[in-house]
Amino acid sequence: MLEIGQGRRLVAMLAAVATSSAPLFVGMSHLFLTEAFQLLGTALFIYLLSRADKLPPALILSQLLLATLYTLVAKASAPAYTVILGLAVLSTAIRTGWRQRAWGWGDRRVLLNCLAASVLTPLVLLWYHRNLDSVLTPFLKFRAGNASGPWGKSDTVLGALQYWLDTACTSFFRLPVLFLYLVRVICGVSWSRKETSGRNARDENALVRRFTTVCAVQIVVALLFLSWNTVRLDRLLLPLWPCFAVLVAVSALATSKPILAKSMFALFAVQFAVVFGSVFGVPSLEPHASWYVDVLVRETTQVRAI
């Protein structure tokens, strides 16, 4: 986030506190390790995107291959959360290599990455070859319009998309925080229109626009993928949270006025305190934004009783 925020520590701190304050993130911290692995994979792709035009292209490409293998090992559906990010990293690295005419294939780090990939790639391909039917069956059986199964609901793609949008809002934000955050974003956009003028200002915001566009498209693609399936488990949204966190952080760059970023940081710091305080019963807020927070509250209450 320091790269995206052009060295502004407050933007990186905003991304960190927004990530750690999300009710779903907090609730899932003790449950379902697979989604946490997927979240890490999404974060790796975002990191590579932030460094794609600064590191040697060969190093980025080799790391992209390892990150792809990691996400495939984490879960079969992981590419739905990283495909747009991966394509953006790939295109940026190739464009940088052609422009600089120096790829850096002789770098020792690249050789080590390629060696690791040469070991992991056959293993991953072999696993998917042996388990391809088991991987594809859930996607085909529970697609939109078919039987819903025990954890879903039979619905149209548009109906499911509305569900996932509503669930994303309540899983990542307390509703008062979401409302105040949107108000601050609107204020920031109105200020930026008055401040932004000339080519230099547009060039300075090129990185921010690119990250915003890529993360927004990735969110849309992942939500459409989830909507195509009848399964409705809000934990499936967790791997998308790094993309939402990037959008939250870059929204603080909409204006040069530091008060906007500071107010956003304070807003999510309050959410952090409320969610974690709720987990430990100080204060006890009901109902919670996420079912997984309820699970944590019950576990904490049982431990305190013991």
Side-chain angles (χ1 to χ4, degrees), residues 135-148:
V135 170
L136 293 179
T137 297
F139 296 112
L140 299 177
K141 183 178 180 180
F142 298 119
R143 65 183 183 272
N146 285 7
S148 59

Side-chain angles (χ1 to χ4, degrees), residues 143-145 152-168 223-233 237:
R143 65 183 183 272
K153 178 181 178 181
S154 183
D155 200 351
T156 63
V157 173
L158 291 179
L161 181 60
Q162 181 179 358
Y163 164 80
W164 286 112
L165 289 173
D166 294 340
T167 304
L223 290 179
L224 288 175
F225 169 78
L226 293 174
S227 301
W228 185 75
N229 200 289
T230 59
V231 176
R232 292 189 174 184
L233 294 171
L237 288 171

Side-chain angles (χ1 to χ4, degrees), residues 106-215:
D107 193 313
R108 182 178 299 178
R109 295 171 295 178
V110 175
L111 297 178
L112 291 175
N113 289 339
C114 291
L115 178 62
S118 65
V119 176
L120 292 176
T121 302
L123 296 177
V124 173
L125 293 178
L126 178 62
W127 188 92
Y128 274 91
H129 174 71
R130 293 177 62 89
N131 299 277
L132 187 60
D133 291 339
S134 299
V135 170
L136 293 179
T137 297
F139 296 112
L140 299 177
K141 183 178 180 180
F142 298 119
R143 65 183 183 272
N146 285 7
S148 59
W151 301 287
K153 178 181 178 181
S154 183
D155 200 351
T156 63
V157 173
L158 291 179
L161 181 60
Q162 181 179 358
Y163 164 80
W164 286 112
L165 289 173
D166 294 340
T167 304
C169 292
T170 57
S171 297
F172 297 140
F173 307 96
R174 302 291 300 193
L175 292 181
V177 172
L178 178 60
F179 173 75
L180 293 175
Y181 166 71
L182 293 176
V183 170
R184 282 162 172 76
V185 171
I186 294 172
C187 293
V189 171
S190 63
W191 283 340
S192 65
R193 289 183 177 179
K194 298 177 182 179
E195 296 171 353
T196 304
S197 60
R199 181 176 179 179
N200 292 334
R202 291 194 298 270
D203 292 340
E204 291 176 357
N205 293 327
L207 180 62
V208 174
R209 290 198 302 270
R210 183 178 68 182
F211 263 87
T212 302
T213 302
V214 172
C215 289

